Amino acid sequence: MEDKEKPKTSRRKFLENLGLLGTGALAASAAVYSGYHYEHSKNKTGRKIKVLTADNQLAEVDAGSLTISGKPTLTALQMRGREGIKHRRWVMIIDLSKCRNARKCIAACQEAHHLRPEQYHINTLQMQESEKTAPFFMPKPCQHCDNPPCVSVCPVDATFKRPDGPVLIDNERCIGCRFCIAACPYSARSFNWIEPKFANQDKGKTYDVELNVPQKKGTITKCLFSSDRIREGKLPYCVSACPNGVYYFGDENEDAVTNGTTKETVRLSKLLRDNGGYRLMEELGTKPRVYYLPPKNRLFPFPEEGNIIEKEG
Amino acid sequence: MEPINLSEKITTDILRPVGITKSFKIWMTALLVAFGICIYAYTLQLRNGLGVTGLRDYISWGMYIANFVFFVASSLIGMLISAVLGLSGAKWITPIARIAEIIALAFASVAGLVIISDMGRPERLPNVFIYGRIQSPILWDVTVVTTYVVISALLLYLPLIPDLAICSRRMDTPPWLRKIYRLMSLGWSGTPEQTAMIQKCTRILLILIVPVALAIHTVTSWLFAATPRAGWNSSVFGPYFVSGAFVAGAAAVIIAMYFFRRNYKLHDYITDSHFDKMGKLLVLVSLVYLYFNINEFLVPGYKLEKAEAKYLHEIFAGRYAVLFWSAQLLGVIIPIILLLIKSVRKPLPMMIIAAFVLAASWIKRLLIVVPTQEHPFLPIQYVPQNFKFYTPTLTETLITLASIILVLIIVTILSKFFPVIPIEETINELKHGDK
């Protein structure tokens, strides 16, 4: 008897459960649907607007569902800044035989990035390798190493290496520990020790990680390979500002670099091969993305010895 | 001598300085006022940025980082005395083990705060936990220093439990304080099971603290050694830092022993023989430290590679020569020679020597941190003069002082509310000695 009754009870129970489940599912989907419907209808104004799509088609949309995408948010800028530009490998060549220390690169850079005069993303140094060798000027931006010591030591991933080459800094995340300054053998980094120069003027601006503006007190600032400019297909600020044809900038994947002064585009591999291109402190294994062409045949005078601010020796 | 009377005498002797006395109030008020002034300096830094310090783009780590290294260093002594000597069966450490633990806990916990004072954006400290990258030695440092603070606190607390029970039974203590002691003693009644449990836990912690302590200072040395800079780019930095740490810590313990013995009238417990043994220990660790110093300076000094040469010249014969040689002579070499003489290993002369050793240890940390940065691979040009050389400012000095005062405050509070010498252990050892 008992054995026979058991399945009966189970079937009833099963049907009961099924009914419960069904009702539950119906209620849930109704709720989801009404929520969905509400989300869609809440912005409906009934007013139609004509818009032009990216492929030149005229379309009509409800005024309520239109968002203007002119101003990217901080998060969008940060994500874009970390992703970089696909299929590119940016590279810079600095021809030391041409540099006359005009310092126009520095001025353009400091203006673009809202820096104080003593804050350098790029600085021109007066170098002399040894006593008998000739002195020369050496522009020194961040070397955008492929094996960057600064990125390795950053505790919070505020400074990072982008797939297309540049090493950037997110000053919305930087904690100001300055471990990266300690680790950089090229002294390429600067810090906002006090309130930045344009703090008042830049108030309320959305922070663009590719320009590093607004600068922020207590965070690192550094050369960005002008990531905001290369996104627009333009040459970096320093490269365009040089009056002496010192800089070439371009894409290693295309094997082409463009001179910022003459706008002449040449083969990267040929330029390096023909002129004995080299990188700074190769022995440290940092693998810089900045190449130098040696300071040979300089046809202009160097300031007399006494004016050299500090010999390297 | 009756054992009961003896243990009563021990209890009374050790507990005599415990409690809020007039001298404690005066000393604490002085400390707190000084601390308040220094904290005002920190508010200036919070408001105006790290620009209030002498740090700039090229020398961007200075007194704060040196002080941090010094604090981590001094805290290592807890491990050396309690764990290394304790586990190897040295009985003489009983009356000074707790002092060493107090020193360790005070220095290690304040070290964590010191590092925050060096941050450009201290309010973003949570980023270290939210976005922490395991590749960064800072993450390793945060992990091991926190672990060390926790283990040190437990190593101070566990052996204290029986003594807390004794404290809670004392009639002349205010009732609220007795209640706290009773709560903290966790119902200790001295049963064999309880004793066995505490001994087992303490033993496990004593073993655990050895690798953790070695790790905190080794990792601290890697903050420098992990960079390619001349002067920091050294493979002996780990052991060099650890050996130096024992020197600083031993000196700190000797100074603390001297003042506890004098001010708390503990002459019967911290005896001349303890000073004699600590003197020998300081000689031993100083000799090891001297050995690493020779390695650290002689080897690169012999080769004089381009970048190393500039930095070495600066500390051997340049801007930092006076500081460097006085730290080496007054802080390492002369103390070793003096402490080899038996008649010098007496409380007062040893306290004076230890003060020199401790001061030299602090200066030595500054010499590890600063000169290297003044001589980067590429020349420092086209910047204001104060970018080229580091000169600490008053604000920065006050903020550093704040951390030292905070260590004194912690040591004072711990030693005023808890017996600095383990009562139960001292009694037990005497009983066993009688048998």
Side-chain angles (χ1 to χ4, degrees):
Chain A
M1 270 300 275
E2 268 184 18
D3 278 314
K4 262 191 182 171
E5 232 172 12
K6 220 177 186 173
K8 221 178 183 177
T9 335
S10 291
R11 194 182 304 129
R12 191 180 299 143
K13 199 105 197 165
F14 173 72
L15 286 172
E16 250 176 53
N17 284 345
L18 192 71
L20 215 64
L21 201 75
T23 325
L26 211 70
S29 46
V32 169
Y33 175 74
S34 63
Y36 174 78
H37 186 75
Y38 171 74
E39 278 302 316
H40 262 248
S41 60
K42 71 171 177 187
N43 287 331
K44 275 239 165 83
T45 58
R47 197 161 56 87
K48 297 282 178 198
I49 285 182
K50 285 193 170 65
V51 291
L52 206 58
T53 63
D55 51 350
N56 271 333
Q57 297 284 316
L58 199 63
E60 204 170 62
V61 294
D62 188 85
S65 58
L66 198 72
T67 48
I68 310 293
S69 58
K71 258 195 169 174
T73 61
L74 171 68
T75 328
L77 284 171
Q78 279 170 317
M79 279 170 64
R80 187 176 82 171
R82 280 184 190 255
E83 276 162 12
I85 301 156
K86 288 225 158 53
H87 313 303
R88 301 286 186 177
R89 296 289 290 161
W90 303 110
V91 61
M92 181 186 269
I93 289 87
I94 298 173
D95 188 348
L96 296 176
S97 64
K98 301 225 176 74
C99 181
R100 293 166 174 259
N101 199 19
R103 301 184 81 76
K104 294 278 189 266
C105 50
I106 300 165
C109 170
Q110 289 181 331
E111 197 194 328
H113 298 294
H114 295 189
L115 299 171
R116 291 179 186 276
E118 70 275 10
Q119 289 182 300
Y120 294 107
H121 285 187
I122 183 168
N123 192 358
T124 305
L125 305 176
Q126 306 189 2
M127 302 289 288
Q128 189 171 18
E129 294 292 340
S130 60
E131 241 174 82
K132 291 276 184 283
T133 56
F136 59 94
F137 295 111
M138 186 179 86
K140 184 215 62 182
C142 167
Q143 305 292 302
H144 296 280
C145 308
D146 279 347
N147 181 21
C150 53
V151 172
S152 303
V153 298
C154 178
V156 295
D157 201 18
T159 191
F160 54 92
K161 175 77 181 171
R162 245 165 57 154
D164 56 340
V167 172
L168 263 57
I169 171 82
D170 182 347
N171 81 18
E172 284 296 319
R173 183 179 291 185
C174 176
I175 61 171
C177 69
R178 310 185 304 291
F179 202 174
C180 52
I181 292 188
C184 177
Y186 305 100
S187 310
R189 287 169 169 256
S190 185
F191 191 72
N192 284 303
W193 296 100
I194 47 176
E195 205 61 70
K197 194 178 172 191
F198 293 103
N200 285 328
Q201 183 193 313
D202 288 344
K203 207 171 250 171
K205 266 191 196 167
T206 310
Y207 171 66
D208 181 3
V209 70
E210 291 186 336
L211 183 63
N212 205 35
V213 168
Q215 298 285 341
K216 199 155 196 170
K217 184 179 84 183
T219 65
I220 292 287
T221 182
K222 72 175 289 296
C223 163
L224 313 151
F225 252 4
S226 297
S227 288
D228 60 319
R229 297 263 291 189
I230 52 183
R231 181 170 291 282
E232 295 169 7
K234 292 179 186 158
L235 291 170
Y237 298 105
C238 51
V239 174
S240 322
C242 177
N244 295 322
V246 174
Y247 298 96
Y248 295 83
F249 191 87
D251 179 7
E252 188 191 293
N253 288 345
E254 286 182 345
D255 197 21
V257 286
T258 306
N259 189 292
T261 315
T262 63
K263 303 290 184 271
E264 184 191 358
T265 299
V266 295
R267 281 228 171 279
L268 167 67
S269 51
K270 187 169 161 26
L271 184 70
L272 292 176
R273 191 174 59 232
D274 292 354
N275 297 283
Y278 67 94
R279 301 188 291 192
L280 281 188
M281 295 178 229
E282 195 72 68
E283 68 276 13
L284 297 179
T286 50
K287 300 181 183 150
R289 297 204 68 74
V290 175
Y291 291 83
Y292 286 89
L293 305 181
K296 54 161 194 173
N297 299 335
R298 281 190 307 104
L299 295 175
F300 48 89
F302 198 83
E304 70 266 32
E305 299 285 301
N307 280 357
I308 300 179
I309 289 187
E310 219 182 72
K311 284 185 202 169
E312 218 225 334
Chain B
M1 230 194 292
E2 271 294 307
I4 304 295
N5 285 345
L6 188 64
S7 41
E8 256 172 28
K9 182 191 178 308
I10 292 172
T11 314
T12 330
D13 278 354
I14 296 176
L15 286 181
R16 192 183 305 117
V18 173
I20 304 159
T21 54
K22 199 178 165 196
S23 54
F24 169 75
K25 282 182 190 159
I26 296 169
W27 171 241
M28 273 305 274
T29 314
L31 284 179
L32 286 173
V33 168
F35 187 65
I37 294 168
C38 297
I39 286 301
Y40 171 71
Y42 185 58
T43 63
L44 287 182
Q45 178 179 310
L46 278 181
R47 196 165 61 233
N48 303 324
L50 279 169
V52 299
T53 66
L55 303 167
R56 288 298 178 266
D57 286 354
Y58 297 89
I59 302 96
S60 83
W61 280 355
M63 205 187 245
Y64 297 152
I65 296 289
N67 197 42
F68 165 74
V69 176
F70 172 77
F71 275 32
V72 175
S74 303
S75 76
L76 248 64
I77 193 67
M79 176 277 262
L80 181 69
I81 289 188
S82 304
V84 175
L85 294 180
L87 287 173
S88 60
K91 285 277 172 259
W92 63 274
I93 60 151
T94 308
I96 61 163
R98 189 167 289 161
I99 295 175
E101 282 306 332
I102 289 176
I103 299 264
L105 181 63
F107 275 113
S109 48
V110 179
L113 293 178
V114 168
I115 208 73
I116 293 173
S117 73
D118 186 66
M119 286 169 64
R121 300 209 71 96
E123 82 280 7
R124 290 186 184 169
L125 185 67
N127 280 11
V128 177
F129 305 98
I130 302 169
Y131 304 109
R133 285 175 75 255
I134 204 72
Q135 298 95 314
S136 169
I138 287 187
L139 262 280
W140 313 341
D141 219 20
V142 170
T143 314
V144 289
V145 171
T146 320
T147 314
Y148 187 71
V149 169
V150 172
I151 299 184
S152 294
L154 284 173
L155 268 179
L156 178 63
Y157 177 59
L158 286 184
L160 195 63
I161 290 175
D163 292 1
L164 288 168
I166 296 173
C167 288
S168 73
R169 287 198 295 270
R170 257 215 324 179
M171 297 313 286
D172 54 345
T173 315
W176 62 272
L177 199 55
R178 286 177 59 187
K179 205 168 178 182
I180 293 175
Y181 285 137
R182 196 163 54 245
L183 275 176
M184 284 182 75
S185 68
L186 305 175
W188 173 267
S189 54
T191 61
E193 296 87 58
Q194 288 182 334
T195 314
M197 194 190 281
I198 281 207
Q199 275 174 354
K200 196 179 169 192
C201 290
T202 310
R203 204 180 156 76
I204 292 172
L205 287 172
L206 284 177
I207 294 167
L208 271 181
I209 204 168
V210 176
V212 175
L214 289 177
I216 62 168
H217 218 37
T218 308
V219 170
T220 304
S221 84
W222 290 347
L223 296 182
F224 307 98
T227 71
R229 291 195 178 229
W232 289 351
N233 187 1
S234 158
S235 53
V236 300
F237 249 39
Y240 172 51
F241 271 45
V242 170
S243 61
F246 292 146
V247 175
V253 166
I254 290 170
I255 295 171
M257 278 165 66
Y258 177 82
F259 284 102
F260 283 142
R261 174 178 134 120
R262 211 188 62 147
N263 296 4
Y264 293 179
K265 313 231 165 1
L266 298 169
H267 301 75
D268 291 345
Y269 305 91
I270 304 172
T271 61
D272 278 14
S273 133
H274 290 109
F275 278 91
D276 182 66
K277 291 210 168 66
M278 276 306 290
K280 286 176 184 163
L281 182 69
L282 184 55
V283 170
L284 174 70
V285 290
S286 296
L287 280 171
V288 177
Y289 185 47
L290 181 64
Y291 167 75
F292 277 108
N293 267 290
I294 292 168
N295 274 275
E296 179 55 28
F297 293 106
L298 189 78
V299 175
Y302 186 86
K303 291 181 284 193
L304 285 183
E305 287 173 19
K306 191 177 170 191
E308 298 268 2
K310 273 190 292 183
Y311 146 81
L312 286 174
H313 182 266
E314 212 57 72
I315 55 171
F316 286 165
R319 210 168 112 82
Y320 292 102
V322 174
L323 273 183
F324 177 79
W325 291 113
S326 42
Q328 294 290 31
L329 286 174
L330 299 174
V332 186
I333 296 167
I334 295 177
I336 292 177
I337 296 168
L338 285 179
L339 288 171
L340 284 172
I341 306 163
K342 192 170 169 54
S343 58
V344 178
R345 292 198 298 272
K346 292 277 176 285
L348 183 64
M350 270 184 64
M351 192 275 286
I352 295 167
I353 291 172
F356 272 97
V357 171
L358 199 64
S361 296
W362 195 92
I363 287 167
K364 193 68 191 303
R365 303 302 179 282
L366 198 67
L367 291 174
I368 289 172
V369 173
V370 175
T372 284
Q373 295 172 86
E374 286 184 0
H375 297 279
F377 290 114
L378 296 173
I380 305 174
Q381 292 176 353
Y382 294 101
V383 287
Q385 198 58 29
N386 64 336
F387 274 55
K388 296 185 178 178
F389 301 106
Y390 171 64
T391 319
T393 61
L394 178 64
T395 315
E396 192 175 7
T397 314
L398 286 177
I399 295 171
T400 303
L401 267 179
S403 61
I404 295 167
I405 295 171
L406 191 57
V407 167
L408 288 177
I409 290 177
I410 293 176
V411 171
T412 308
I413 289 180
L414 287 176
S415 70
K416 261 320 209 180
F417 285 93
F418 307 111
V420 288
I421 291 173
I423 304 172
E424 182 100 348
E425 250 182 283
T426 311
I427 294 172
N428 283 346
E429 267 176 27
L430 271 176
K431 276 183 190 163
H432 286 293
D434 284 349
K435 271 177 194 170

